[in-house]
Amino acid sequence: FCGDGLQFLKQHPDTYSVIFCLDVLEHIQDEDVLLNWIDSIYNALVPGGRFCCRVPNAANLFASYSRYADLTHARMFTTRSLSQ
């Protein structure tokens, strides 16, 4: 499939056992759009499905390097912020 990821997720509710999201969430500029992505991922999972993501770790000693090594990074996350 080639297309908008958010629209794809919205069109496939209760479909996936696992969704991987690697190095994506930190690039979403608008907080409301980010929350829309998270909701859409949740809705696309079957009951008991898993969401595996990788984001820059703001609690890391080299967090500022990770944040500014790529100017398209809009945010970073900690374990706590991911849980929220």
Side-chain angles (χ1 to χ4, degrees):
F1 296 98
C2 182
D4 183 274
L6 184 55
Q7 292 305 317
F8 181 87
L9 288 168
K10 288 180 177 187
Q11 294 169 356
H12 295 89
D14 298 316
T15 303
Y16 300 102
S17 297
V18 178
I19 294 177
F20 289 90
C21 189
L22 307 178
D23 304 315
V24 174
L25 300 180
E26 67 270 17
H27 296 277
I28 300 173
Q29 297 286 332
D30 185 273
E31 186 173 306
D32 290 334
V33 175
L34 174 64
L35 295 174
N36 196 358
W37 267 88
I38 299 299
D39 287 341
S40 298
I41 289 167
Y42 178 81
N43 291 330
L45 291 168
V46 298
R50 301 286 182 165
F51 174 50
C52 300
C53 72
R54 180 175 66 191
V55 293
N57 180 1
N60 184 295
L61 180 61
F62 299 104
S64 61
Y65 175 80
S66 296
R67 169 67 169 91
Y68 297 106
D70 182 342
L71 294 178
T72 64
H73 285 170
R75 67 191 77 248
M76 295 182 69
F77 299 87
T78 64
T79 301
R80 184 172 184 199
S81 67
L82 282 174
S83 297
Q84 291 174 343

